[in-house]
Amino acid sequence: MSRTDRVRLYATAAFVEYYKLGCPTRKQYEDYLRNTVYKKLEQKDPQTIMRVADNVIFENRALLADLDAVDKTFSMLYGNIPMVGINRAHALKNGADVAEAVKGVYFGLHRGKPSTKRIHERVVAHAVSVYADPSTVYRWLAQARALFAVNRGLVMDNDKSIDQIIKECE
């Protein structure tokens, strides 16, 4: 399995998990975890509750980083925050289309295992709904995964910069 395959699988899983959890920000999910601990341990002393809550947050740090990266990816695609170190001309030309493709394809995969067949069916359905070619939708998804990988700090391909990857996807 190549690096890009691992990144593709990881990014796809992160987008799906983000949707399954209700599209929370990192802060919202941290608050949810803390509140859950507080409710379950309300009879314990405050120091124990805080220690357990901190441990739960620590144990979920990878998921929290994924949520943060997905949230930042959507903010960048919609143009709400600047893309530092990324050629804006390439990344934002169709940012909203890219974000909508991610939502249309990946956000419906939360039930069951996301197979290649299910993804392809959702790509074709999304392509029809936005009057685009399925290959265009696949390029949009690749752009979103590449941006997620940068935001998450994942190693993609040592020979290519994010600008090169985004340019190839256009």
Side-chain angles (χ1 to χ4, degrees):
M1 184 182 305
S2 71
R3 274 182 230 232
T4 54
D5 288 341
R6 281 182 270 153
V7 169
R8 182 181 68 217
L9 293 172
Y10 189 90
T12 301
F15 285 121
V16 172
E17 190 66 21
Y18 177 77
Y19 178 73
K20 277 188 350 190
L21 294 173
C23 305
T25 63
R26 179 188 185 116
K27 175 78 171 107
Q28 289 170 335
Y29 198 68
E30 278 182 13
D31 291 346
Y32 165 78
L33 291 173
R34 285 188 192 284
N35 289 336
T36 301
V37 170
Y38 294 157
K39 287 176 185 172
K40 291 185 181 225
L41 300 177
E42 62 187 345
Q43 304 301 323
K44 302 282 185 184
D45 65 286
Q47 287 181 333
T48 302
I49 294 172
M50 288 176 53
R51 185 176 38 78
V52 171
D54 288 343
N55 285 342
V56 168
I57 298 286
F58 180 77
E59 291 297 323
N60 283 281
R61 65 190 179 278
L63 174 60
L64 291 168
D66 288 348
L67 294 176
D68 196 32
V70 171
D71 191 49
K72 187 174 180 182
T73 298
F74 278 118
S75 292
M76 291 172 121
L77 289 171
Y78 284 122
N80 297 334
I81 60 174
M83 294 190 183
V84 178
I86 298 172
N87 187 336
R88 287 178 67 91
H90 295 303
L92 287 182
K93 189 185 318 181
N94 56 358
D97 292 334
V98 173
E100 292 305 314
V102 169
K103 290 178 179 181
V105 175
Y106 293 151
F107 282 12
L109 297 174
H110 63 285
R111 293 184 196 98
K113 188 176 180 185
S115 67
T116 304
K117 181 181 176 185
R118 284 185 60 210
I119 290 173
H120 179 70
E121 289 169 353
R122 295 190 64 80
V123 165
V124 170
H126 184 74
V128 168
S129 73
V130 297
Y131 305 104
D133 190 72
S135 62
T136 301
V137 176
Y138 278 116
R139 280 194 304 273
W140 290 341
L141 296 174
Q143 285 179 317
R145 290 190 308 263
L147 192 53
F148 167 81
V150 169
N151 288 332
R152 182 62 171 91
L154 301 177
V155 176
M156 293 183 56
D157 189 342
N158 291 335
D159 298 334
K160 295 181 181 178
S161 71
I162 184 68
D163 286 335
Q164 290 170 322
I165 293 168
I166 290 173
K167 188 179 261 186
E168 287 174 4
C169 293
E170 290 187 320

